[in-house]
Amino acid sequence: QIFEEMLAQGCALDVPTFTVAITACQKTQASKRAVELLDDMVKRSLVPDVVAHNAAIGACKKGSPSAALGILRGMSSSRVKPNVISYNATISSLGGKGLWKVVLDLLKEMDLGTLAPNVVTFSAAISACEKGRQFETALGLLDELKARNLSPNAVTYSAAISACEKSHQMEHAMDLFQEMQRDALVPGLITYNAVIAACSRQAGSLLAFDIYDGMCK
């Protein structure tokens, strides 16, 4: 609100001020306003830095994957080099809509651009495969993560298990669940729900109840 008042009064605004306003948009997922502010910076001959771009991409996380991808692509024309956070935020936005093919292209692009995907990158990519019901691709990404000497976390396993559950792959889901426990990672409610759902479909209620009992202990 203070920023909008400053804007209305014609106050001189700089890059940090705009960045704070865009970050506020990120917190409220006001994607349209974030993009408008980014464009307004350019019109004022201000150069948005990577932090401003990343905040704008983050504002598009839940509902505007095309806008997130557009901002990422626009960084090159603005001579701003995207970083891992830029790609992670874009992949997360695309993944929310199950756009797994575009996500895989971005992973390749990161490698070609000498940016190393991290656990957050792979977790978001696996989640995209889960939304797109591509369990084999999700498992392949999990294997690739390990091959790069990265350690999957609870979020990574949860996404992979959910991908298996949605494709009715109980055995794969159970294998990942057990692997997760061997790695001393604590399953969350979403993970338990996915494993229980997978077991209920293929192994009847008994195994599902056993897992539920383990969750309650």
Side-chain angles (χ1 to χ4, degrees):
Q1 185 178 353
I2 295 173
F3 176 83
E4 298 296 345
E5 290 175 0
M6 292 173 66
L7 203 59
Q9 292 171 11
C11 296
L13 303 172
D14 56 12
V15 172
T17 307
F18 268 97
T19 302
V20 169
I22 295 172
T23 302
C25 293
Q26 179 183 4
K27 292 177 180 177
T28 58
Q29 287 296 290
S31 58
K32 184 178 179 181
R33 186 56 180 149
V35 174
E36 288 174 350
L37 291 174
L38 208 58
D39 290 341
D40 197 13
M41 290 179 74
V42 176
K43 291 175 183 176
R44 292 169 180 262
S45 299
L46 296 172
V47 181
D49 58 14
V50 68
V51 177
H53 280 93
N54 289 351
I57 293 172
C60 302
K61 180 178 180 180
K62 292 187 178 178
S64 305
S66 59
L69 186 58
I71 294 168
L72 181 70
R73 294 297 180 229
M75 291 176 77
S76 298
S77 60
S78 300
R79 297 182 181 179
V80 178
K81 187 176 181 180
N83 58 19
V84 174
I85 295 173
S86 313
Y87 277 93
N88 286 355
T90 306
I91 288 171
S92 181
S93 180
L94 293 165
K97 297 296 183 182
L99 300 173
W100 60 278
K101 289 183 179 180
V102 185
V103 165
L104 294 183
D105 287 340
L106 289 182
L107 280 175
K108 292 177 183 176
E109 190 175 298
M110 289 181 75
D111 282 332
L112 291 173
T114 67
L115 282 176
N118 57 23
V119 174
V120 175
T121 317
F122 277 103
S123 296
I126 291 170
S127 181
C129 294
E130 176 234 324
K131 297 287 192 305
R133 297 180 183 274
Q134 301 292 320
F135 87 93
E136 290 179 325
T137 306
L139 295 181
L141 288 171
L142 182 61
D143 288 340
E144 184 178 347
L145 179 155
K146 296 174 184 175
R148 295 182 184 224
N149 293 319
L150 297 172
S151 299
N153 57 27
V155 174
T156 316
Y157 276 111
S158 181
I161 290 169
S162 293
C164 294
E165 181 269 319
K166 287 187 177 179
S167 296
H168 301 178
Q169 299 294 321
M170 184 202 73
E171 290 185 4
H172 285 299
M174 281 301 301
D175 286 344
L176 290 174
F177 183 67
Q178 291 167 357
E179 183 179 315
M180 183 180 185
Q181 292 178 310
R182 286 196 298 271
D183 288 348
L185 294 171
V186 180
L189 183 59
I190 294 175
T191 309
Y192 272 112
N193 286 344
V195 175
I196 290 170
C199 293
S200 296
R201 285 196 181 101
Q202 291 184 256
S205 59
L206 186 58
L207 181 56
F209 275 123
D210 287 342
I211 295 171
Y212 176 78
D213 285 341
M215 178 180 70
C216 295
K217 289 180 181 177

